[in-house]
Amino acid sequence: MNRQKIEIEIRKALARITEEDVSRLKADENLAEVIGLDSLGRLELLSEVEDAFDLTIYDIDSEKASTIGGMLEIVEAALIENAEAV
Amino acid sequence: MRIGLIAMSGVRVRTEELAEMGVTLPGFVNRGKVIASLPSLGLLTVAALTPPDVEVAYIEYDSVPEDDAELERFDLVGISSFTARIEATYALADRYRAMGVPVALGGLHVSLMPDEARQHADAIVVDGAEGAWPELVADFKAGRMKKRYQGLRKGVFAPGAYVMPRFDLLEGRPYNRVTVQTSRGCPINCEFCAASLRITSSFQQKPVERVIEELRAATAAFDSPFVELADDNTFVNKKWGKALLKEMAPLNLRWFTETDISVADDPELLDLMAKAGCKQILIGLESPSEGGLVGLDPHDWKARRFDKYLSAISRIQAAGISVNGTFVLGLDSHTSSVFAELLDFVRASNLLEVQLTVQTPFPGTPLYERLKRDGRLLAERYWDRCTLFDVNYVPARMSVEELEQGFVWLAAEVYSDREFNRRKRHYMDLAKARNGDGLRSVA
């Protein structure tokens, strides 16, 4: 899966969690500051993303999940880990 | 006329080893940091109690110039503080008084240690600001300010006394959390508690419609703020709680509060809390064993519920509300085995968040009086060590060193990446279970 598709899915998950229009958010914007996604919200987002990609995130770095770019890195790493685990 | 209202904030762990752990284990000091970053609801209330013809400036202590720099001038300064910051408060009050600016002090510590506080103030306000501050300002304007003003201990939310805090003073400031108080006091009355029950004569609740008005006002100035209900035990009265939650649900908020374990006994209440946006509740669990809870409150309320702790936490978290469990280490029944017992309890409970604290004899509490009477306090005056992490007394069944070292060991375990990751995984799995995924184990 390419980065663009991953980012689209992350944005969809983020929109479901926050019920906000996240289409214009920049990848490096802090989600807590711009849409109030706190630490609990980030865990919910990680959970939603796991479902969206049908994968398990082993390293639950909720700090890194505070930007869309960070989420991208988490998902990419998890996709590799999950592929290796099969 | 212009009054400067200064909020004291920020607590620093005094023990070097613990301070270093706070840097490497963010979860260790997380809650303390959150509390330190909240606006002072007390001073926003004081501002609202100030007559409209008087200008007020709300100032966070962090923005006050250092010792040798010039302070902003006011006609009168009001400072609200708490025990761990009271020495810094007195130093600031002394600086202002040296400039010829009169100072009024208030807050929990001042209410509990009035004779000490009045040495650094032109006036002190004891207990609630309601019933005291308007008179103080009127007397000040008339040039006859008294040394002491007694605030209300009951009826603080009644017409005539109640005012809505001046949330408008926070506009343009970088807060991402705002506080609203729905009640004052707590009927459980734990021996160590130094919260609002010490300045109230009975548990008091705000009318639901007032709470809703305040929530609207408090959140109006911010984008998606997280709300903290600044209560010690919000859901004492379940009927009132349900009425409040039904009104809160349409506000579409995410919020946190402190309450007790009994919320787990009421499925309807839990459901309403989740639907109203409650994301986390802090519960004072205090000890990982029933024995540790005996004698903690006058009716052994907590001890009698210990056998339901694990199932209750499970029910609350399954409802979509994470539990921040707080524990007090060094209770009189605790031996050095309590640290391993608590780690086992934390693992068994799957609490998302854990707050470890050292029993702290805050001045004015029954615990302080008892330990002082028994000659167990390590110093006469140790207020800046009332951080909840520093040991200030001789424990009953272990040494001071055992308590300090055991606390450090336990904190390193509980806040390790391994343990925190496990707790976060459980929370994420619960979220999936609620969403009907059902693929993962949530046992």
Side-chain angles (χ1 to χ4, degrees), chain B residues 265-307:
Chain B
D265 299 334
D266 191 328
E268 184 192 4
L269 182 73
L270 281 183
D271 184 51
L272 287 169
M273 287 168 70
K275 285 177 176 161
C278 181
K279 291 295 164 186
Q280 186 169 89
I281 54 176
L282 183 146
I283 300 178
L285 301 170
E286 325 304 5
S287 182
S289 64
E290 184 177 351
L293 298 172
V294 172
L296 209 60
D297 62 79
H299 302 288
D300 281 335
W301 192 94
K302 291 189 176 177
R304 285 186 284 112
R305 281 158 182 81
F306 177 78
D307 62 343

Side-chain angles (χ1 to χ4, degrees), chain A residues 38 47 50-51 57-58 60, chain B residues 254 421 424-425 432 437:
Chain A
D38 50 69
S47 176
E50 282 190 336
D51 278 353
I57 296 169
Y58 295 103
I60 306 171
Chain B
R254 293 168 65 85
N421 212 42
K424 286 190 282 192
R425 164 53 57 198
K432 285 183 205 307
D437 179 286

Side-chain angles (χ1 to χ4, degrees), chain A residues 6-36:
Chain A
I6 295 172
E7 185 172 334
I8 289 168
E9 288 302 323
I10 290 170
R11 286 180 188 273
K12 281 183 187 172
L14 186 56
R16 283 196 295 275
I17 292 288
T18 62
E19 298 178 5
E20 299 264 359
D21 177 7
V22 299
S23 59
R24 291 181 186 170
L25 287 181
K26 293 174 185 160
D28 61 350
E29 279 187 306
N30 187 301
L31 299 174
E33 291 170 7
V34 290
I35 54 172

Side-chain angles (χ1 to χ4, degrees), chain B residues 28 325 327 329 342 354-358 388-389 407 410-411 414-415:
Chain B
F28 174 50
F327 298 90
L329 289 153
L342 184 44
V354 180
Q355 283 297 302
L356 304 177
T357 63
V358 170
L388 298 176
F389 302 125
F407 186 79
L410 182 60
V414 166
Y415 302 115

Side-chain angles (χ1 to χ4, degrees), chain B residues 178-222:
Chain B
V178 292
T179 53
V180 167
Q181 188 176 54
T182 80
S183 63
R184 211 174 283 184
C186 171
I188 298 177
N189 197 9
C190 294
E191 182 191 36
F192 57 76
C193 185
S196 65
L197 75 93
R198 301 287 168 225
I199 59 167
T200 54
S201 54
S202 60
F203 181 69
Q204 292 164 72
Q205 282 174 323
K206 200 173 280 181
V208 167
E209 60 271 24
R210 296 277 170 277
V211 178
I212 299 300
E213 284 170 6
E214 289 192 25
L215 285 167
R216 289 186 197 281
T219 56
F222 302 94

Side-chain angles (χ1 to χ4, degrees), chain A residues 20 35-36 38 40-41 43-44 46-48 50-51 55-58 60 62, chain B residues 224 226 252 254 279-280 322 352-353 421 424-425 427-428 431-432 435 437 440:
Chain A
E20 299 264 359
I35 54 172
D38 50 69
L40 294 169
L43 287 180
E44 289 167 26
L46 287 165
S47 176
E48 192 80 9
E50 282 190 336
D51 278 353
L55 55 71
T56 300
I57 296 169
Y58 295 103
I60 306 171
S62 42
Chain B
S224 310
F226 196 85
N252 199 25
R254 293 168 65 85
K279 291 295 164 186
Q280 186 169 89
S322 63
L352 176 64
E353 305 246 20
N421 212 42
K424 286 190 282 192
R425 164 53 57 198
Y427 182 80
M428 288 165 62
K432 285 183 205 307
N435 293 334
D437 179 286
R440 294 164 199 277

